[in-house]
Amino acid sequence: APPCFFSAPAGRAGQNPPATTPTTMRTMATFILRRPGSLLLAIGGVLMLAIALTGYAHYRRQRAEAMAAASDALTAIANLKVAQISQWRAERLADAQYMRRTPYTTRRALDVLRQPDAGTTRDMFVAWLDSIAMGGQLAQVLLCDTQLTVRLTYPLGSTGVLDSVARRAAETARTNLQVIMTGLHRDGPTNPVHLGFVVPLVVRGTASREGVPPGGSPDTATNHTAGLL
């Protein structure tokens, strides 16, 4: 009987794909040689992809470095501003404490409260305020009695009232005899920012024999407030 040959369909499970023969390789080489543009296009595509990936990685690195530098600069600026504001606040508090601890301030202010119609007494107190305001650190002063009634405003002729915040601070300062900060305020969008304080005018002794404590002396049980700035 004649020999019989059987072959399984290509790609069936369990069968290996036909091996590449030298003839197939020669056919592929002939195709590439006949169409060199396809090879150049493939090489160009690979190069473009590599360049794009490299550029993107470089952009990401530069962006991260720029953001880190900007963050460091903003942090430095913020720390500098905080230090400047803290220093400015400390200086204004020192000014208020100076008023509270200076007997001359208390004496002249109490003279105005006791003799509001005495021009010489008022002029002496205003002249002392002028010397402090020369540095530009003093915007306005309200002299109040113990009932928180405004008895004198500086600069002379200006209007001044105690708002709710300042009134609460004045009540606290009247009780504990300490300088109280009222907060930041500004008269207009282009005007400088000011920091408000309430300064108690502290005296020593009874109502019949009050005396201004010497500068730098410690508070005693008989100290009390006779007015406020």
Side-chain angles (χ1 to χ4, degrees):
C4 296
F5 300 93
F6 298 92
S7 62
R12 179 175 296 178
Q15 299 290 330
N16 295 324
T20 302
T21 62
T23 303
T24 304
M25 297 295 295
R26 286 194 298 271
T27 303
M28 294 175 62
T30 302
F31 175 80
I32 293 175
L33 291 175
R34 290 180 178 179
R35 297 190 178 183
S38 300
L39 177 61
L40 295 177
L41 183 62
I43 296 174
V46 172
L47 291 176
M48 290 180 63
L49 180 60
I51 293 172
L53 293 176
T54 303
Y56 180 71
H58 181 67
Y59 162 75
R60 289 288 301 273
R61 183 173 62 256
Q62 283 193 329
R63 181 172 180 269
E65 292 175 354
M67 291 183 65
S71 178
D72 293 341
L74 290 176
T75 301
I77 293 173
N79 292 337
L80 177 61
K81 289 299 181 182
V82 169
Q84 290 176 340
I85 293 173
S86 299
Q87 179 65 25
W88 174 74
R89 180 183 181 277
E91 291 174 354
R92 301 292 75 75
L93 180 59
D95 292 339
Q97 294 289 0
Y98 171 76
M99 291 185 178
R100 188 226 186 272
R101 295 293 183 181
T102 304
Y104 184 87
T105 306
T106 303
R107 292 192 186 100
R108 298 285 78 81
L110 293 180
D111 288 343
V112 174
L113 291 177
R114 292 164 182 166
Q115 304 175 25
D117 298 329
T120 303
T121 300
R122 182 190 60 197
D123 292 344
M124 292 178 63
F125 180 60
V126 171
W128 181 81
L129 293 176
D130 286 338
S131 65
I132 298 179
M134 288 179 62
Q137 306 298 342
L138 190 63
Q140 187 182 45
V141 176
L142 304 180
L143 175 60
C144 304
D145 57 22
T146 55
Q147 303 303 315
L148 305 185
T149 301
V150 178
R151 305 289 293 275
L152 181 142
T153 60
Y154 177 86
L156 295 178
S158 61
T159 58
V161 295
L162 293 178
D163 57 19
S164 58
V165 175
R167 183 169 291 274
R168 287 195 298 269
E171 292 172 351
T172 303
R174 182 178 57 186
T175 302
N176 62 17
L177 310 182
Q178 298 299 322
V179 173
I180 303 298
M181 184 177 67
T182 61
L184 299 171
H185 62 89
R186 174 186 286 181
D187 296 332
T190 59
N191 294 331
V193 177
H194 296 284
L195 186 61
F197 289 97
V198 177
V199 180
L201 303 174
V202 179
V203 295
R204 178 180 297 173
T206 62
S208 59
R209 294 180 59 85
E210 289 182 344
V212 178
S217 62
D219 293 332
T220 65
T222 62
N223 283 11
H224 59 279
T225 302
L228 301 114
L229 291 175

